[in-house]
Amino acid sequence: MAAATPTSYTDQIVYTDEVAEFSPEVVEEMRSHLAKYPADRTRSALIPLLFVIQRERGYVDNAGVNFLAKFLNLEVTDVWETATFYSMFNLREIGRHHIQICKTLSCKIMGEPDITDHICSKLGIHPGETTADGKFTVSLVECLGSCGTAPMMQIGFDYHEDLTIEKVDKILEDCK
Ligand code: FES
């Protein structure tokens, strides 16, 4: 299966004024992150707080971003700028196993296209899609900082490096 051009997820976001609500415990957790930064540098807390939003909401959604903008006294666009810059933040629902394949130069020349085609063919999806059973999402991402062990991919928080077709088959099997 030929790999399709990845979809732009930002095109699929529905922007509304809805503001997410969180339990007092989660708000307290957010305040503890905020307390680590100077009072006039609330923007610095964006990364840890976006991780909290992602954990609580399943992904970084519009209502969660609106909450953070209010919580940090920032513009909504300030929050989206950060959320959309880093591939570690998901902007839509994803499968139980999120396979992020590095598509940048070192990985590309070391075989990423074949790895991507193989994975997508096995799962019956294109990059940017999730399998019908909700188990796997495949994304193509920029350099993950492991260029010396290219080609590589990240699943969840784990790196899988020096990939071969055989290694990929074993990794996918272990995910099932
Ligand atoms: S180019 Fe793939 S990890 Fe850097």
Side-chain angles (χ1 to χ4, degrees):
M1 175 187 299
T5 306
T7 323
S8 169
Y9 307 125
T10 49
D11 292 346
Q12 301 166 21
I13 297 168
V14 179
Y15 300 97
T16 69
D17 292 335
E18 183 192 355
V19 178
E21 293 182 11
F22 298 96
S23 69
E25 291 77 20
V26 172
V27 173
E28 193 47 45
E29 180 189 0
M30 291 186 186
R31 286 195 204 291
S32 73
H33 284 300
L34 192 53
K36 297 171 191 162
Y37 303 94
D40 61 344
R41 294 280 189 275
T42 57
R43 187 189 296 250
S44 303
L46 265 176
I47 298 278
L49 294 183
L50 281 165
F51 271 121
V52 175
I53 297 286
Q54 180 161 275
R55 185 195 71 210
E56 292 296 313
R57 312 268 307 164
Y59 63 104
V60 176
D61 67 338
N62 176 73
V65 166
N66 288 343
F67 173 91
L68 270 195
K70 280 190 195 309
F71 189 71
L72 298 175
N73 201 21
L74 296 172
E75 297 295 330
V76 169
T77 47
D78 293 331
V79 182
W80 278 122
E81 276 173 3
T82 301
T84 56
F85 182 79
Y86 295 103
S87 57
M88 59 200 181
F89 296 123
N90 305 312
L91 306 179
R92 68 208 157 107
E93 283 184 76
I94 55 163
R96 185 146 51 87
H97 303 289
H98 189 194
I99 302 173
Q100 297 182 85
I101 308 167
C102 172
K103 66 180 173 80
T104 308
L105 188 62
S106 297
C107 288
K108 177 99 41 203
I109 60 179
M110 292 301 287
E112 172 274 316
D114 289 343
I115 296 289
T116 299
D117 281 353
H118 182 71
I119 291 173
C120 287
S121 176
K122 271 198 100 147
L123 298 178
I125 56 176
H126 293 101
E129 294 178 350
T130 299
T131 54
D133 61 5
K135 270 193 186 166
F136 294 94
T137 296
V138 174
S139 301
L140 294 179
V141 300
E142 299 297 342
C143 180
L144 290 168
S146 188
C147 322
T149 54
M152 62 81 63
M153 64 184 179
Q154 180 176 357
I155 303 181
F157 288 108
D158 297 326
Y159 273 21
H160 300 274
E161 301 160 302
D162 294 312
L163 293 175
T164 62
I165 297 297
E166 293 71 31
K167 265 193 181 179
V168 164
D169 284 342
K170 171 85 170 66
I171 293 164
L172 291 181
E173 196 53 44
D174 289 347
C175 284
K176 285 184 178 166

